[in-house]
Amino acid sequence: MMDGTANPYMFVGAVILAALDGLENNTAMVWRDCSQVLGGMNLRWRAFYGIQDYMPLTLGEAVESLKNNHVLQARIGRELITRYIHVKEKEATEFRTWDFERRRIRFLEHF
């Protein structure tokens, strides 16, 4: 799942690399087809569809998720991931110092 703040090239690349990893390791698909909005699901429906994790809600959470994703680190390369994480951590630190209006304007300009 991608929103407007994601880098589309990184997103598509990550999906392709995850698919390749799944094919190479014969990983079973555990999610069922779902036509519901994930954010509105209760725990029972999430379990029914095999959804265990939540999407990161902040840039900081997304960076932590990437730090813990060893498949993408191995597939993309640790050097690139390390540099990307460094840039995103600086960005997250800077954003935390901004007030709501400054963040809103920044997002409107870029997204």
Side-chain angles (χ1 to χ4, degrees):
M1 171 159 297
M2 182 177 95
D3 69 15
T5 62
N7 178 316
Y9 303 105
M10 292 289 283
F11 176 80
V12 170
V15 170
I16 291 169
L17 292 173
L20 288 173
D21 187 77
L23 290 170
E24 288 177 10
N25 293 304
N26 203 23
T27 304
M29 293 286 285
V30 295
W31 285 10
R32 297 178 181 203
D33 288 338
C34 177
S35 61
Q36 296 185 37
V37 176
L38 298 178
M41 282 188 190
N42 62 30
L43 293 177
R44 186 177 126 255
W45 281 110
R46 289 176 66 83
F48 174 78
Y49 286 110
I51 302 167
Q52 300 172 357
D53 299 319
Y54 287 89
M55 294 294 292
L57 296 177
T58 66
L59 178 56
E61 288 179 9
V63 169
E64 287 304 312
S65 180
L66 181 57
K67 284 180 180 179
N68 295 319
N69 191 320
H70 302 292
V71 171
L72 285 180
Q73 288 182 24
R75 296 270 176 180
I76 293 174
R78 295 202 192 282
E79 183 177 348
L80 178 59
I81 292 291
T82 299
R83 289 174 187 233
Y84 183 80
I85 287 172
H86 179 74
V87 168
K88 291 300 173 180
E89 285 176 332
K90 284 188 169 281
E91 187 177 304
T93 299
E94 183 178 343
F95 279 5
R96 280 193 295 271
T97 66
W98 293 0
D99 63 13
F100 174 80
E101 185 62 16
R102 186 170 179 194
R103 284 193 302 258
R104 186 183 73 78
I105 290 169
R106 167 72 180 221
F107 282 111
L108 288 173
E109 290 172 348
H110 293 280
F111 307 109

